[in-house]
């Protein structure tokens, strides 16, 4: 009544695949129970004979490649093993639970509120949103409660659907530092004789790790416009290399993009040719993270900034522009 991973081929080396680690470990235990002290993983096979064959238990079975050229200088042995149990194909086959591994891949498209996790003071999210894991017409009720895993190994659970376009909401009890654009995986087992085609998982959710909500300071639209104008008037400085527009030394992270890209506003007026500023250094004072301007973004003076080593700053964080020395 054990579970058996369905294989297309025999596993010849226990180090050949990380995905077989769990099955390899269980195989080693089975080998020790049977007195077999070998590094070869134990492969089990079910044989169906068209005619009755006399084969006492513990008999040695040798399989040959009879279709191999007899004149070829190759080994014709295909496999060998001991008979460990006899079964009635009409009654006992159902006792063997053969399963296949399945995996679906999605993408994180939106992040929930930021929290400061109490145990390590790390900024995490307990709720994130995903896409591309399900089709628009998929019945999400079949997947609610299933565990998912980020590319960094954080374990969460599908909480509900989000909208009507196939997006979904995930909850991570211990938090996750995943970013927009990161992959998320749904892994499960499906048994061969299961007519309901249920999805089975052995993944265990981690214990909840509470955190403190980081509430960004909200300002009215009028106050934002007023403060932005004051900052631009105070910090604006005519760029000697630009005949039109102004360049300020302070800006704000307007949004976060995948691949360590952020959108920054406040550095340039719309008249500035930002392409001439590609390569200028940008610094986040609160985290001491450094990036460089990689391209303009839109026509309102915003620009793309690449942080090659990653960025932990949030939307709304202040950034500083460091022009090259003359």
């Amino acid at each position: 009544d054990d579970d058996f991973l369905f294989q297309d081929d025999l596993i010849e080396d226990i180090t050949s695949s990380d995905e077989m680690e769990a099955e390899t470990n269980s195989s080693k235990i089975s080998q020790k129970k049977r007195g077999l002290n070998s590094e070869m993983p134990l492969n089990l096979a079910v044989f169906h004979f068209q005619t009755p064959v006399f084969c006492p238990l513990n008999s040695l079975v040798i399989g040959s490649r009879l279709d191999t050229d007899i004149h070829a200088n190759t080994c014709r042995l295909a496999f060998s093993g001991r008979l460990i149990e006899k079964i009635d194909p009409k009654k006992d086959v159902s006792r063997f639970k053969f399963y296949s591994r399945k995996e679906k891949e999605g993408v994180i498209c939106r992040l929930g509120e930021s929290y400061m996790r109490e145990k390590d003071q790390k900024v995490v999210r307990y709720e994130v949103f995903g896409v591309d894991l399900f089709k628009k017409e998929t019945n999400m009720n079949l997947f609610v409660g299933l565990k998912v895993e980020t590319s960094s190994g954080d374990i969460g659970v599908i909480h509900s659907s989000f909208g009507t376009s196939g997006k979904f909401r995930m909850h991570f009890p211990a938090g996750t530092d995943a970013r927009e654009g990161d992959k998320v995986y749904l892994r499960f087992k499906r048994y061969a004789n299961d007519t309901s085609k249920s999805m089975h998982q052995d993944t265990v959710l981690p214990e909840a790790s509470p955190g403190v909500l980081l509430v960004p300071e909200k300002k009215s639209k009028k106050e934002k416009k007023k403060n932005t104008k004051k900052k631009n008037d105070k910090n604006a400085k005519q760029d000697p290399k630009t005949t039109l527009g102004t360049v300020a030394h302070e800006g704000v992270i307007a949004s976060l993009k995948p691949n360590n890209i952020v959108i920054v506003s406040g550095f340039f007026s719309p008249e500035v040719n930002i392409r001439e500023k590609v390569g200028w250094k940008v610094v986040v004072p609160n985290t001491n993270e450094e990036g460089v301007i990689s391209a303009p973004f839109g026509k309102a003076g915003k620009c793309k900034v690449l942080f090659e080593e990653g960025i932990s700053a949030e939307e709304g964080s202040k950034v500083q522009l460091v022009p090259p020395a003359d």
Side-chain angles (χ1 to χ4, degrees), residues 10 18 107 129 134 163 166 193 209 292 297:
L10 295 179
D18 293 337
V107 178
F129 302 84
F134 309 107
N193 297 324
S209 181
V292 294
F297 183 79

Side-chain angles (χ1 to χ4, degrees), residues 85-215:
E85 187 173 353
K86 60 180 180 179
I87 62 174
D88 185 337
K90 296 181 179 180
K91 300 179 181 179
D92 298 333
V93 172
S94 59
R95 292 195 297 111
F96 296 91
K97 301 176 182 178
F98 298 102
Y99 69 89
S100 299
R101 293 179 180 272
K102 303 292 182 180
E103 179 180 284
K104 297 172 70 69
E105 180 181 300
V107 178
I108 294 176
C109 64
R110 180 177 172 182
L111 303 176
E113 293 179 316
S114 301
Y115 287 78
M116 181 74 73
R117 192 161 54 192
E118 295 179 358
K119 71 174 183 180
D120 56 5
Q121 303 302 306
K122 190 173 183 179
V123 177
V124 297
R125 268 88 171 183
Y126 293 102
E127 188 175 69
V128 299
F129 302 84
V131 70
D132 294 341
L133 192 64
F134 309 107
K135 296 180 180 179
K136 181 179 179 179
E137 61 273 13
T138 300
N139 182 6
M140 286 297 300
N141 293 329
L142 300 176
F143 297 90
V144 171
L146 292 181
K147 284 83 171 179
V148 290
E149 183 176 352
T150 66
S151 53
S152 59
D154 297 324
I155 305 296
V157 61
I158 297 177
H159 187 268
S160 66
S161 59
F162 183 69
T164 58
S165 59
K167 295 181 180 179
F168 56 99
R169 188 193 311 263
M170 296 169 284
H171 175 67
F172 289 80
T176 177
D177 57 357
R179 314 287 296 188
E180 287 186 21
D182 288 355
K183 298 292 181 63
V184 61
Y185 303 94
L186 171 64
R187 299 185 175 103
F188 57 91
K189 298 189 298 186
R190 183 161 282 167
Y191 290 91
N193 297 324
D194 185 5
T195 56
S196 64
K197 295 185 178 181
S198 301
M199 291 168 285
H200 302 266
Q201 293 181 308
D202 298 324
T203 309
V204 179
L205 282 174
E207 294 183 1
S209 181
V212 179
L213 177 63
L214 300 177
V215 182

Side-chain angles (χ1 to χ4, degrees), residues 4-44:
F4 297 94
L5 174 64
F6 180 80
Q7 304 166 199
D8 293 326
D9 302 296
L10 295 179
I11 305 174
E12 298 181 355
D13 185 357
I14 60 175
T15 61
S16 60
S17 174
D18 293 337
E19 294 184 355
M20 301 301 181
E21 182 177 357
E23 281 71 22
T24 299
N25 292 337
S26 62
S27 296
K28 285 185 177 181
I29 296 174
S30 299
Q31 291 181 33
K32 290 180 180 179
K33 288 181 179 179
R34 293 179 172 85
L36 303 175
N37 188 16
S38 172
E39 288 298 320
M40 289 291 291
L42 182 61
N43 294 269
L44 300 179

Side-chain angles (χ1 to χ4, degrees), residues 288-304:
N288 293 324
E289 295 167 322
E290 295 184 0
V292 294
I293 295 176
S294 60
F297 183 79
K299 298 180 180 180
K302 295 182 180 180
C303 62
K304 293 182 180 180

